[in-house]
Amino acid sequence: MDAKDVLRQLVESCHLVVRSYVEDLTDADLLVRSVPGTNHIAWQLGHLAASTSQMLSMLGHDAGALPPGFAEAHSAQSAASDDPARFSSKAEYLSLADQSRAATLAAIEATPEAELDAPGPEPFREIAPSVASMLALAGTHWLMHAGQFVPIRRKLGKPPLF
């Protein structure tokens, strides 16, 4: 096993957890907040798709197109909205999650092993000092947010999964 194998497994396992936590939810469930002031799952999924696109672009990789206005609809300024019309459907979010996963795996494949130690993009260097750590972040960022889905799932009466 090499570093790229580890990165691929990391991305795949994070994707599995996110999809598992969302698959039994409805579109309406995605707009539930665990407590006031927290982000609902719809906003988080949009934020994740948009930020993965940004991260991969900073590394010079194509992350696939987001719908027009999608990144803006999932910006920090939109996080407080509970208007269902401003957010996508679960099916759309899962499709974008799959697109993000595929783009991240393609970026891992396209990155020569010798470049994994190269410095990460300057705006992310504090948390992703190398190209490898930026590729890892493209997967683990999803898992970090998935941890925030758990209290929402409990609030909705959903069973524990992991």
Side-chain angles (χ1 to χ4, degrees):
M1 178 177 287
D2 62 21
K4 289 170 76 167
D5 291 329
V6 172
L7 289 168
R8 281 189 288 274
Q9 286 184 4
L10 181 73
V11 169
E12 292 285 13
S13 64
C14 293
H15 184 72
L16 171 72
V17 171
V18 169
R19 280 197 69 92
S20 297
Y21 279 156
V22 174
E23 282 180 340
D24 64 345
L25 301 179
T26 66
D27 289 350
D29 291 342
L30 297 185
L31 295 171
V32 171
R33 296 177 189 276
S34 57
V35 297
T38 61
N39 297 320
H40 51 65
I41 294 172
W43 182 86
Q44 291 183 72
L45 290 170
H47 159 74
L48 289 162
S51 62
T52 301
S53 178
Q54 177 190 22
M55 284 185 248
L56 295 179
S57 293
M58 287 179 157
L59 290 172
H61 300 287
D62 179 23
L66 295 172
F70 186 85
E72 296 78 17
H74 297 86
S75 68
Q77 294 74 28
S78 67
S81 176
D82 290 319
D83 179 2
R86 296 188 65 184
F87 296 96
S88 300
S89 69
K90 178 180 88 169
E92 291 168 311
Y93 286 123
L94 289 178
S95 177
L96 288 169
D98 292 345
Q99 176 180 307
S100 293
R101 174 191 151 271
T104 304
L105 292 172
I108 292 166
E109 285 305 311
T111 304
E113 184 107 15
E115 289 182 23
L116 293 175
D117 285 332
E122 183 61 39
F124 282 84
R125 205 159 290 156
E126 185 175 319
I127 58 172
S130 67
V131 169
S133 58
M134 186 72 154
L135 290 167
L137 180 62
T140 59
H141 186 207
W142 290 79
L143 189 62
M144 183 273 292
H145 279 274
Q148 297 175 51
F149 300 176
V150 173
I152 297 168
R153 289 183 54 79
R154 293 296 194 285
K155 185 175 184 177
L156 293 168
K158 299 296 183 182
L161 298 179
F162 300 100

